[in-house]
Amino acid sequence: MRMLDSAKILYTSAQYEYDENDLSGVHAAEVLGLQPEMVFKTLVAKGDRTGVTVFVIPVSEELDLKKAASVSKNKKIEMLHVKELLGVTGYIRGGCSPIGMKKKFNTFIDETCMLFDNISISAGARGCQVLIAPNDLIRYIGAELRDLTV
């Protein structure tokens, strides 16, 4: 949120009680009273050609690995192991945000984000979300819109 403040990007923050037993992100949508389609999770993968790549998709959806490989110009892509997540991104599982990672990685956001005035993403900590206009997020992190889900 400090980074968004510094960049003068409008957002709203929301906090909720994080549920260790529900890592899908659907719990966050339910508790915050948001449609699951407008709450997005951040997934980190590793491609055979381009290395670490970030995908941001609705919490109720599943990443299509073939589409992910294709849009990121990889022949094969696999999810980053949870043990590697903190070292690579600076974030832990359940609190990974596309904003403020240790390095700038190629990032792709599911095109359905454009159906909403604001989408919800992790604020970088479990139980904390940021509601932000999709265009502001895309511009700020230099992401590309793509069809990413099964």
Side-chain angles (χ1 to χ4, degrees):
M1 289 186 281
R2 289 186 302 268
M3 295 177 77
L4 294 174
D5 290 339
S6 295
K8 296 184 180 2
I9 295 174
L10 295 175
Y11 68 91
T12 306
S13 64
Q15 307 228 344
Y16 65 97
E17 189 69 35
Y18 180 76
D19 183 354
E20 286 282 339
N21 298 317
D22 185 355
L23 299 176
S24 69
V26 175
H27 171 75
E30 289 172 357
V31 174
L32 296 172
L34 301 172
Q35 300 169 47
E37 299 82 14
M38 70 182 293
V39 179
F40 283 65
K41 59 187 171 186
T42 304
L43 303 173
V44 184
K46 195 173 210 174
D48 63 334
R49 295 181 180 159
T50 63
V52 175
T53 306
V54 177
F55 299 94
V56 184
I57 66 170
V59 295
S60 56
E61 299 294 327
E62 184 179 330
L63 181 66
D64 184 317
L65 292 176
K66 287 186 179 190
K67 288 179 184 177
S70 177
V71 302
S72 63
K73 298 180 176 51
N74 285 287
K75 188 174 181 181
K76 180 181 153 194
I77 201 160
E78 58 186 35
M79 299 306 297
L80 195 68
H81 193 279
V82 71
K83 291 179 183 175
E84 298 175 86
L85 192 60
L86 179 62
V88 171
T89 67
Y91 293 118
I92 60 172
R93 184 175 184 194
C96 192
S97 176
I99 298 171
M101 290 192 180
K102 284 184 171 183
K103 289 176 58 180
K104 183 172 175 19
F105 299 111
N106 288 335
T107 302
F108 300 90
I109 299 179
D110 192 74
E111 62 193 9
T112 59
C113 71
M114 298 309 291
L115 298 173
F116 304 97
D117 292 335
N118 288 294
I119 61 169
S120 181
I121 60 169
S122 175
R126 290 177 174 173
C128 191
Q129 293 280 304
V130 168
L131 282 99
I132 186 171
N135 281 329
D136 289 343
L137 177 63
I138 291 163
R139 267 192 309 275
Y140 186 67
I141 62 174
E144 296 181 37
L145 280 177
R146 295 290 189 271
D147 174 17
L148 300 172
T149 58
V150 175

